[in-house]
Amino acid sequence: MKYVPIPVALLEVGKPLPVDIWSASGQLLLRKGQPVTSEDHREKLHAHNASSTPADAQAWQRSYERMVHGMLTAGADVQAISKAPMPSEIRASDYVVGEQLNGGWQDLQEVLRGILYQGGLAVSPLERLVGIEKKALHLLQTDPDDSLFCLFQALADTSQGYCASHALLCAVVCHMTAIKLTVPEPQRQALVTAALLMNIGMARDQDSLARQNTPPTDWQRTLIQEHPQKSVAILQSFGIEDVEVLDIVRWHHEPNAAEGMASTATARQVLAMADSFVAKMAARKTRVSLSPVKAVKSMVMGAEGAAQGIASAMAQAAGFYPPGTYVKLANGETALSVQRGERANTPWVIPILDKDGVALGKHMCKETTTPATTIASAVAVENVRVTLSVEKVRKARVGIKSL
């Protein structure tokens, strides 16, 4: 039988283990229910390449992801989460194959967050990453506007963590932009993989930075500068050998580096631009979020040559007011963008507040092509205090002609 290495460093001393622990050669080291008794004991397990069966490994990972999700929902600090050990209990439902990939974007966010948080200690990462990519592309191809809506809404919800939302949204924006640019499928696939994993070298710290109310420290600035290479090292430890994926991740902060591969030149620039585009639209305690249209303008201004074409393609792909973001209409209403229109600046919207700021109970889609409903300005998500029903939004979208 093939055994899967377990994250020995995350085993808590004194707590019973929820699975049998084996050596890489198949020797039973600990039975289910037995504890790690000391730090020395943990070191011995490490020396024997402590492992578990693939089924146990995946179920344990799923249990860990659920634990992290619960801690985030409860408002736990990222530092506290980073010190959390592997759980000592596994539910029967954690053994259901593919359960974690049967849902939508929020479910994918939870699974991806678990892998990003564990980094080099992630259990069975490759199989899970392939599943995430397949499900993400399926959701995107089925309904790109709903995908953008879900992910832009998730970007504004810091209680669920930022790193996975950022990664998924970057992957979606990259894929849509690459199609506009007619990037060949192999490079497009490599680009999506790179977008999901580019920040694995600093995922926990990325969430900390998103929540802290002070500018980055010198140590954090160094981490930001060095994380691409750290991410590459983690991906290599996973067994990822695709040289294009590794190259895109390595140079996603320096897309024009002479050392980069010729075949990934466009992909590197797309990812660098998407990374910046998404980051600017995420609010921080040290600054308000930048509106999508301003983020687009910041990409286009000063862009030259190939970069200008990429910025234009990205603006067309996502729109000036992407689904999931907010706008002020000429008639004074505040509305939610729910679907891209025929032009980048004419999305379909659902008014949610009247001109006096009173919540509107009915969800009705409107075009933004008439004088009354033309968009006057973007509205920062921090200034909107309305709870929305995703299902009601989806019902309201029924009948709108897709792009």
Side-chain angles (χ1 to χ4, degrees), residues 177-225:
T177 304
I179 290 176
K180 291 279 185 184
L181 295 168
T182 63
V183 173
E185 197 280 332
Q187 282 77 41
R188 200 162 66 230
Q189 181 62 51
L191 176 58
V192 169
T193 302
L196 292 174
L197 300 170
M198 61 181 168
N199 293 325
I200 195 170
M202 59 169 289
R204 295 176 190 272
D205 299 285
Q206 190 179 20
D207 276 4
S208 294
L209 283 163
R211 293 183 176 187
Q212 73 184 40
N213 54 15
T214 57
T217 64
D218 289 343
W219 178 85
Q220 286 172 326
R221 291 184 189 281
T222 299
L223 177 64
I224 292 169
Q225 183 179 358

Side-chain angles (χ1 to χ4, degrees), residues 46-69:
H46 181 74
H48 284 86
N49 296 315
S51 305
S52 66
T53 64
D56 283 344
Q58 290 194 20
W60 206 1
Q61 177 75 16
R62 176 60 173 162
S63 179
Y64 172 84
E65 290 158 4
R66 191 178 61 254
M67 177 189 72
V68 170
H69 176 74

Side-chain angles (χ1 to χ4, degrees), residues 59-318:
W60 206 1
Q61 177 75 16
R62 176 60 173 162
S63 179
Y64 172 84
E65 290 158 4
R66 191 178 61 254
M67 177 189 72
V68 170
H69 176 74
M71 294 178 73
L72 282 167
T73 302
D77 182 79
V78 174
Q79 293 302 318
I81 295 174
S82 70
K83 297 175 182 177
M86 292 295 289
S88 56
E89 294 183 0
I90 299 176
R91 294 179 184 174
S93 60
D94 293 326
Y95 282 92
V96 177
V97 176
E99 179 191 15
Q100 68 272 25
L101 299 179
N102 284 342
W105 288 106
Q106 186 175 5
D107 205 42
L108 287 184
Q109 181 188 25
E110 183 177 333
V111 178
L112 179 60
R113 186 197 309 120
I115 295 173
L116 295 176
Y117 267 26
Q118 284 191 318
L121 297 176
V123 178
S124 302
L126 290 185
E127 292 179 4
R128 302 168 73 74
L129 287 167
V130 169
I132 290 171
E133 288 182 23
K134 286 183 177 179
K135 183 65 176 180
L137 291 176
H138 172 73
L139 290 171
L140 179 58
Q141 290 162 1
T142 300
D143 194 334
D145 290 287
D146 184 69
S147 297
L148 288 170
F149 174 84
C150 291
L151 292 172
F152 272 107
Q153 287 281 295
L155 190 71
D157 185 2
T158 57
S159 67
Q160 296 303 307
Y162 172 70
C163 65
S165 299
H166 178 95
L168 286 167
L169 187 50
C170 281
V172 164
V173 170
C174 282
H175 189 269
M176 296 173 73
T177 304
I179 290 176
K180 291 279 185 184
L181 295 168
T182 63
V183 173
E185 197 280 332
Q187 282 77 41
R188 200 162 66 230
Q189 181 62 51
L191 176 58
V192 169
T193 302
L196 292 174
L197 300 170
M198 61 181 168
N199 293 325
I200 195 170
M202 59 169 289
R204 295 176 190 272
D205 299 285
Q206 190 179 20
D207 276 4
S208 294
L209 283 163
R211 293 183 176 187
Q212 73 184 40
N213 54 15
T214 57
T217 64
D218 289 343
W219 178 85
Q220 286 172 326
R221 291 184 189 281
T222 299
L223 177 64
I224 292 169
Q225 183 179 358
E226 296 178 349
H227 84 270
Q229 186 57 50
K230 185 177 179 182
S231 294
V232 168
I234 292 173
L235 301 191
Q236 290 174 322
S237 75
F238 285 173
I240 292 178
E241 299 177 347
D242 188 319
V243 292
E244 292 193 333
V245 170
L246 299 176
D247 187 76
I248 297 169
V249 171
R250 181 178 285 112
W251 302 113
H252 75 272
H253 276 197
E254 302 175 74
N256 296 315
E259 298 91 333
M261 297 171 58
S263 63
T264 66
T266 298
R268 294 198 310 272
Q269 288 187 308
V270 170
L271 181 54
M273 201 168 288
D275 189 18
S276 174
F277 176 61
V278 172
K280 286 176 179 177
M281 286 185 290
R284 297 284 186 272
K285 291 187 177 180
T286 54
R287 60 162 173 80
V288 296
S289 60
L290 199 64
S291 70
V293 67
K294 288 184 178 179
V296 167
K297 286 180 179 178
S298 72
M299 288 191 303
V300 176
M301 286 177 61
E304 298 178 354
Q308 193 171 46
I310 291 170
S312 176
M314 193 169 292
Q316 293 174 39

Side-chain angles (χ1 to χ4, degrees), residues 31 121 167 280 342 373 388:
R31 291 191 180 279
L121 297 176
K280 286 176 179 177
E342 291 187 7
T373 59
L388 299 165

Side-chain angles (χ1 to χ4, degrees), residues 324-337:
T325 63
Y326 300 90
V327 297
K328 179 78 74 174
L329 303 181
N331 63 10
E333 293 176 333
T334 298
L336 170 66
S337 172

